[in-house]
Amino acid sequence: MDNNSYNEEDIAESKRNSRVGLIIVLVAVLIFLVAVGVIIPFVFAKNMVNDAIKQDTTQYNVSVTAVIAENIVRESDSSDGSDNKIGKVYTPVYEYEYNGKTYSVHGSVASGEKKYEEGEKVEILISDVNPGKMYDPEYNPTKVIKDFGSSFSKLFMLILIIPIVLLAVIAAVIVIIAVRASKKKKALQNNEENDYDPYDDQRE
């Protein structure tokens, strides 16, 4: 095999390596754009929502044990403004005593599932200045929204990670194929060099 053939093969291999490198760079750029263009705005929006729903609980400075007296049940209206009922929602009623007086307070959250069963004891916080106001650390609008946001974030990250992993796998496969092809080509060239007899031209 003459030098021109080797040079042409080297040039062709160099072009292939350049294409592989370009594909890897494009995949890396796509992953970066997804991370910067989606994840960062999502985290920023989530923090804004958390700040907006943050509740001042400093006034609730006395811990008492309340009993769930009942769960008020009402039909949930359809969100489209029609009279259709789409299900039941439950609001717990907390009953507790403070300084010899009994208080019965409706919870601040209504949900499609019962958080507490009737008769269940719950640790809550009340205000010593206004004992009729209470705060349930485990069941309040702020916590419910945060819990939902946390679950949604995990699902969102899972959905986002899948295409990133696929892109990374594609890039890895391309690299592996390119490396194997290069090794195979070099092995063939070495075999051709070993089989080459410099005296063939003289015999002719």
Side-chain angles (χ1 to χ4, degrees), residues 59-111:
Q59 61 178 311
Y60 303 104
N61 53 359
V62 178
S63 177
V64 298
T65 300
V67 176
I68 303 302
E70 64 174 313
N71 281 292
I72 297 176
V73 183
R74 68 177 179 83
E75 296 289 335
S76 177
D77 297 328
S78 174
S79 59
D80 60 7
S82 64
D83 293 333
N84 297 330
K85 305 296 182 181
I86 59 175
K88 295 180 179 180
V89 292
Y90 303 87
T91 304
V93 178
Y94 300 78
E95 194 171 279
Y96 55 93
E97 289 186 6
Y98 184 69
N99 287 340
K101 186 176 180 181
T102 301
Y103 297 88
S104 183
V105 181
H106 290 198
S108 56
V109 179
S111 64

Side-chain angles (χ1 to χ4, degrees), residues 75-173:
E75 296 289 335
S76 177
D77 297 328
S78 174
S79 59
D80 60 7
S82 64
D83 293 333
N84 297 330
K85 305 296 182 181
I86 59 175
K88 295 180 179 180
V89 292
Y90 303 87
T91 304
V93 178
Y94 300 78
E95 194 171 279
Y96 55 93
E97 289 186 6
Y98 184 69
N99 287 340
K101 186 176 180 181
T102 301
Y103 297 88
S104 183
V105 181
H106 290 198
S108 56
V109 179
S111 64
E113 295 182 2
K114 290 182 182 180
K115 172 66 175 177
Y116 303 117
E117 294 296 331
E118 293 178 7
E120 187 173 348
K121 293 182 178 180
V122 182
E123 292 298 319
I124 62 171
L125 297 172
I126 65 172
S127 169
D128 60 349
V129 177
N130 186 1
K133 295 183 67 175
M134 54 78 61
Y135 171 77
D136 184 349
E138 296 300 320
Y139 198 48
N140 56 78
T142 300
K143 190 172 189 306
V144 169
I145 293 173
K146 283 187 176 181
D147 288 346
F148 173 78
S150 178
S151 300
F152 179 78
S153 297
K154 292 176 182 177
L155 178 63
F156 176 81
M157 293 303 295
L158 179 63
I159 294 173
L160 187 63
I161 285 171
I162 291 174
I164 291 177
V165 171
L166 287 176
L167 288 172
V169 169
I170 291 171
V173 169

